[in-house]
Amino acid sequence: MDYFKQRRAYRKLLTEELSLSLGQNVLYRELLDYANDEGKIDEQFKLRNSVLASRTSLTEQGLSQARNRLVQEHLIEYTPGKKDKTAPAYKLVKLYKEFTKPLGNSLPASYKPVDQVVGSSVGQVVEHSTLLLPDKDKTKDKNHSPASAEPHVDFDKLFEYLNEKSGKHFKNTATNRKLVHERLREGFTPKDLQTAIDNVTAGWLGTDMEQYIRPSTIFRASKFEGYVNSVPRVAKPQQSGGKPQRQEATPEWMQAGYQTPKQEVSADAKAELAEQLKELEQLRKGNKDVDTKTMA
């Protein structure tokens, strides 16, 4: 199987017939590139789910759904593995046909065509490139550089910008750079990277989603396009002429540290209080004498 012909046939299917999600497309491309790199583009090969999930940024459920769709569309053949024993197996379905030109009458009568023996144990190893962008056959261009198809990004500045917007401290690691490279190979631009960061931080900071602001979330294959095109949350200004909200001051007695003020009692007030107590005591004694006579 020819890597370039397979890739172009797949791209034509995407353009004219198939409607695959981003995750399904990423999964097929990873399978195609892996088979080519390992020299197994015509053979069945095994690949663990954890490896595929890591390379495609798909969840276990997302990987299963994407794989089922590729099988239904007759793009791949899939053989389930056994847990903790054997990895699942894949085989690419050839998407193009070979056309041979008929032999002309100018060949000598003694000529006998023979079958062309081509070994299939070694695949055609080529550099990876995006399947969704037009490219030329690299075997005809010795000066072609794979890096020229991908926009240049200053990763130090990119992650400094992410840290500035999120208030966190992410590092320029190989794992984080790999996520960015994958998005660039899909056709996204450095401006899209900045836009996704702006939209996510504007919408998630100060909410329960703030804990998920990280490169693995923002640059995830299945979500990145949505983050680029999302509208960040912006507080609505108060309409002029509207009824202002009532702002009541907190009472002094509700404030922290409040103590009841002590009041001085005047001499006149004390004398009046003593007189009232004396009258009450006399009333109490009078009532007691009346009760004693009644009982006698």
Side-chain angles (χ1 to χ4, degrees):
M1 188 185 304
D2 185 279
Y3 174 81
F4 286 111
K5 290 181 180 180
Q6 181 75 359
R7 184 181 63 181
R8 289 166 183 160
Y10 172 68
R11 184 169 55 196
K12 186 176 181 181
L13 285 175
L14 286 182
T15 304
E16 299 178 358
E17 299 180 25
L18 295 181
S19 178
L20 300 182
S21 68
L22 184 59
Q24 294 160 3
N25 178 51
V26 171
L27 175 59
Y28 182 82
R29 289 168 48 196
E30 180 60 36
L31 292 173
L32 176 62
D33 288 342
Y34 177 83
N36 180 71
D37 291 345
E38 298 298 319
K40 298 181 179 180
I41 198 167
D42 290 308
E43 303 175 9
Q44 188 181 68
F45 56 92
K46 294 182 178 181
L47 200 55
R48 289 182 289 117
N49 289 336
S50 58
V51 175
L52 272 179
S54 174
R55 294 182 179 181
T56 60
S57 297
L58 291 171
T59 62
E60 183 176 351
Q61 182 180 2
L63 175 62
S64 176
Q65 293 175 348
R67 180 172 56 214
N68 290 341
R69 179 66 188 282
L70 297 182
V71 172
Q72 292 172 0
E73 296 295 344
H74 303 289
L75 297 173
I76 63 171
E77 295 177 0
Y78 169 69
T79 303
K82 295 182 179 180
K83 187 175 181 180
D84 300 329
K85 291 185 178 180
T86 59
Y90 299 84
K91 190 176 189 303
L92 299 174
V93 176
K94 190 174 182 180
L95 302 179
Y96 64 92
K97 294 182 180 180
E98 296 283 2
F99 296 95
T100 57
K101 296 182 179 180
L103 298 176
N105 296 328
S106 58
L107 295 176
S110 60
Y111 174 81
K112 294 182 179 180
V114 295
D115 294 332
Q116 183 180 9
V117 180
V118 180
S120 60
S121 60
V122 180
Q124 180 184 5
V125 180
V126 296
E127 296 293 339
H128 298 172
S129 68
T130 177
L131 298 176
L132 302 181
L133 296 177
D135 61 345
K136 53 186 176 180
D137 192 335
K138 297 175 186 175
T139 60
K140 298 179 181 179
D141 185 2
K142 297 181 181 180
N143 297 322
H144 178 80
S145 172
S148 63
E150 182 179 305
H152 173 73
V153 172
D154 188 327
F155 287 97
D156 288 332
K157 291 185 178 180
L158 174 65
F159 290 105
E160 285 178 7
Y161 184 78
L162 173 58
N163 292 335
E164 178 184 348
K165 299 291 290 187
S166 64
K168 300 187 179 184
H169 306 282
F170 299 110
K171 296 183 179 180
N172 179 9
T173 63
T175 300
N176 290 337
R177 289 196 301 272
K178 181 177 182 292
L179 291 169
V180 176
H181 279 305
E182 290 173 349
R183 303 295 77 76
L184 294 174
R185 291 184 186 128
E186 292 172 356
F188 292 103
T189 66
K191 179 63 176 177
D192 293 329
L193 302 175
Q194 179 180 342
T195 300
I197 292 173
D198 291 340
N199 291 344
V200 169
T201 53
W204 292 7
L205 283 176
T207 71
D208 294 339
M209 296 296 291
E210 182 174 345
Q211 59 183 313
Y212 300 109
I213 298 179
R214 50 181 176 248
S216 60
T217 301
I218 298 176
F219 304 126
R220 181 183 299 177
S222 59
K223 300 290 185 180
F224 183 74
E225 187 173 9
Y227 297 148
V228 173
N229 296 300
S230 64
V231 179
R233 183 184 61 182
V234 178
K236 296 182 179 180
Q238 183 177 354
Q239 297 180 354
S240 59
K243 184 178 179 180
Q245 292 185 350
R246 185 177 179 181
Q247 186 74 19
E248 296 185 1
T250 303
E252 182 181 358
W253 56 270
M254 291 182 62
Q255 298 178 5
Y258 173 79
Q259 294 181 355
T260 304
K262 297 181 179 179
Q263 297 182 355
E264 295 293 336
V265 181
S266 65
D268 293 339
K270 290 181 179 179
E272 183 179 357
L273 180 61
E275 186 66 26
Q276 291 176 352
L277 290 174
K278 184 177 181 181
E279 291 178 358
L280 289 174
E281 182 64 21
Q282 290 176 353
L283 289 173
R284 185 181 67 80
K285 289 182 178 180
N287 291 334
K288 185 176 182 180
D289 292 341
V290 171
D291 293 339
T292 301
K293 291 180 181 180
T294 302
M295 291 178 63

